[in-house]
Amino acid sequence: MTDHAGAERVLVIGAGQAAAQLAISLRAGGFAGPITVIGDEPFLPYQRPPLSKKFLAERPAPDSLFLRPAPFWSERGIEFMLGIAVAKVNLRDRKATLADGRTIAFQTLVFATGTCARRLPLPGADLPGVFLLRSIGDVQRLRPALDDARRVAVLGGGYIGLETAAVMRGEARDVTVVEAEERVLKRVTAPPVAKFFDTLHRERGVNICTRARVAAITGEGRASGLRLADGAMIKADAVLLAAGAQANDDVAQLAGLACEGGILVDEIGRAGAENVYAIGDCARFPSRRYGRKLRLECVQNAIDQAKAVAAAILGNPQPYDPVPWFWSDQYEFKLQIAGLFDDYDDVAEVGDLTKGRFSVEYRRGGRLIAVDAVNEARAHMLARRRIAEETEAVAAGAV
Ligand SMILES: Cc1cc2nc3c(=O)[nH]c(=O)nc-3n(C[C@H](O)[C@H](O)[C@H](O)COP(=O)(O)OP(=O)(O)OC[C@H]3O[C@@H](n4cnc5c(N)ncnc54)[C@H](O)[C@@H]3O)c2cc1C
């Protein structure tokens, strides 16, 4: 597949949310050269958020998740090679090698490789009946097992674990969530909001075990439960591993690019080699706003960083330093998170937590850095503006 068009081709590795936006923005911005997107999943770019929400619950056809239908891409001359991984990249020769040995030449290379589920080195983790949840393929494996399961164990009380627990309770299955930390949602939100969701799930019948370490997944030939480090046993017909994600940065590392749990990029998305970029979940970028390097796992970041890198490729680079935002749907509650809360020195609750309609504001040095809103869409929208203004004022110095 090596051809002269490689002289101007933009090659994108990964065919997810960020890749789709990059291709769209390049064409919208007037880029006329070849765009080739290579994805190891057999699907056109699709939205992942419904996988642990509506898609899991209502099981529509996979193409209902597609970000754009097939003709949209072909009409714009955006070429997809799907169901095949890029195995390695030679940055000097400007060639990517696919898993089947074919090579593709490029001028500009964009890593949009996302993340994969973190695998836990647990005895029994490879047993049938143990599942991950990151892709349509994962749901296609998981869903029939859930249908047959009376008891489901979820390892990890993050948003994917809790969203799945909510769907399972909607189907009246017994659910146990096992979380190693002292509270659920520890990585994404602070104690008041975590407590709200912990209480909600318990009221809806979820058994939540915090500070609980799983020693092994038990079962003869098929998973039948968990053994905790304190000896407690939890019975389960299906086990979901939902213990976070890690960046797919192995191909970038092999190519010699600097990675620190994600591909390191500068403020305009450049990954340390000429005309090489990284976007979305796989990229770690410097945020002046938050004074550190960030790797975000959210749709907002995939879209906005892709737009920023498309602008850079089109010759109009703009520093990328967003106020991140994110959402999670659990039962009839929508949690919307704006900003990053983790180094707050002041927290204030606005509204009534007992009524399930409230927001929680986090400040540092008197400035608003993050707001979590539950069933308060307006508070969330306002927060994004206020945080942008208040954190911009402190953004200074190199990161
Ligand atoms: C179950 C679930 C629920 C979520 N819910 C929310 C939510 O409610 N709100 C929110 O904001 N975000 C949510 N997210 C996160 C959001 O989906 C991601 O942030 C977003 O998809 C990131 O886009 P991306 O393009 O960077 O990566 P992805 O969409 O993950 O796409 C990367 C693609 O690259 C492929 N790939 C990797 N390596 C190679 C290779 N070497 N060769 C070829 N292809 C490769 C991957 O298989 C994948 O298909 C959720 C994610 C999951 C899994």
Side-chain angles (χ1 to χ4, degrees):
M1 170 114 196
T2 308
D3 60 13
H4 69 280
E8 70 265 20
R9 173 181 284 119
V10 174
L11 181 65
V12 189
I13 310 181
Q17 184 93 46
Q21 185 60 54
L22 180 90
I24 291 169
S25 296
L26 281 176
R27 280 290 183 255
F31 180 79
I35 301 174
T36 302
V37 183
I38 303 177
D40 57 4
E41 293 183 65
F43 300 105
L44 285 168
Y46 62 89
Q47 325 167 43
R48 278 175 215 280
L51 296 179
S52 47
K53 310 175 180 76
K54 261 187 160 219
F55 187 75
L56 186 63
E58 296 175 10
R59 26 185 130 191
D63 61 7
S64 67
L65 297 181
F66 289 1
L67 292 165
R68 297 286 192 283
F72 174 92
W73 304 110
S74 49
E75 282 159 14
R76 284 160 185 77
I78 297 165
E79 179 195 22
F80 282 90
M81 299 176 72
L82 298 173
I84 182 97
V86 171
K88 62 180 182 191
V89 162
N90 185 324
L91 294 177
R92 209 190 43 240
D93 298 349
R94 315 300 287 176
K95 275 184 195 148
T97 305
L98 306 190
D100 61 8
R102 280 178 290 171
T103 59
I104 301 183
F106 58 83
Q107 189 215 30
T108 301
L109 180 67
V110 183
F111 286 88
T113 46
T115 53
C116 54
R118 196 156 70 85
R119 285 183 180 269
L120 301 172
L122 282 176
D126 294 332
L127 281 171
V130 179
F131 299 92
L132 302 169
L133 178 40
R134 275 222 56 84
S135 64
I136 289 177
D138 288 340
V139 177
Q140 287 172 334
R141 284 181 283 275
L142 170 67
R143 189 60 254 192
L146 294 178
D147 286 338
D148 291 341
R150 192 165 60 78
R151 294 161 305 201
V152 179
V154 179
L155 233 139
Y159 65 88
I160 291 178
L162 293 186
E163 287 175 353
T164 306
V167 172
M168 289 300 97
R169 285 307 298 147
E171 298 174 5
R173 299 179 207 282
D174 291 348
V175 186
T176 299
V177 173
V178 180
E179 169 57 57
E181 300 288 349
E182 74 282 6
R183 62 183 168 86
V184 295
L185 296 175
K186 181 153 184 195
R187 205 169 53 88
V188 291
T189 188
V193 178
K195 180 146 195 317
F196 173 82
F197 281 96
D198 183 283
T199 307
L200 171 69
H201 279 276
R202 288 178 198 270
E203 283 172 359
R204 302 291 167 102
V206 178
N207 175 27
I208 298 183
C209 310
T210 50
R211 288 198 174 90
R213 297 223 162 250
V214 176
I217 298 170
T218 55
E220 295 289 321
R222 187 174 178 85
S224 61
L226 306 176
R227 180 161 44 79
L228 303 188
D230 65 5
M233 303 292 284
I234 293 165
K235 287 193 174 154
D237 310 306
V239 175
L240 174 66
L241 301 183
Q246 60 192 51
N248 289 324
D249 59 7
D250 44 340
V251 175
Q253 281 192 49
L254 256 178
L257 295 171
C259 297
E260 281 173 18
I263 304 165
L264 290 181
V265 296
D266 66 9
E267 68 284 357
I268 57 172
R270 289 177 298 210
E274 210 190 335
N275 295 330
V276 178
Y277 302 84
I279 53 177
D281 281 17
C282 69
R284 189 174 290 281
F285 64 93
S287 168
R288 287 160 61 97
R289 194 181 287 285
Y290 287 98
R292 59 189 196 269
K293 293 186 182 112
L294 302 177
R295 190 180 68 74
L296 301 172
E297 292 172 14
C298 58
V299 167
Q300 166 277 322
N301 177 62
I303 291 176
D304 292 345
Q305 202 171 25
K307 288 181 182 171
V309 163
I313 293 171
L314 292 164
N316 182 26
Q318 310 278 342
Y320 175 70
D321 194 2
V323 173
W325 56 267
F326 182 82
W327 75 96
S328 174
D329 298 326
Q330 296 171 41
Y331 309 101
E332 68 276 26
F333 294 93
K334 182 178 279 293
L335 166 64
Q336 290 172 294
I337 296 175
L340 298 177
F341 78 100
D342 39 9
D343 57 355
Y344 69 93
D345 56 24
D346 181 48
V347 59
E349 292 167 15
V350 182
D352 187 348
L353 269 77
T354 60
K355 294 208 174 87
R357 211 171 156 219
F358 63 93
S359 56
V360 179
E361 301 185 345
Y362 306 93
R363 289 186 171 71
R364 178 164 183 81
R367 292 173 203 272
L368 192 67
I369 54 170
V371 174
D372 295 337
V374 173
N375 285 0
E376 274 283 20
R378 194 161 173 273
H380 170 71
M381 293 309 293
L382 285 174
R384 279 162 47 181
R385 261 217 317 274
R386 285 166 58 206
I387 296 167
E389 285 162 13
E390 297 194 28
T391 54
E392 191 149 28
V394 288
V399 181

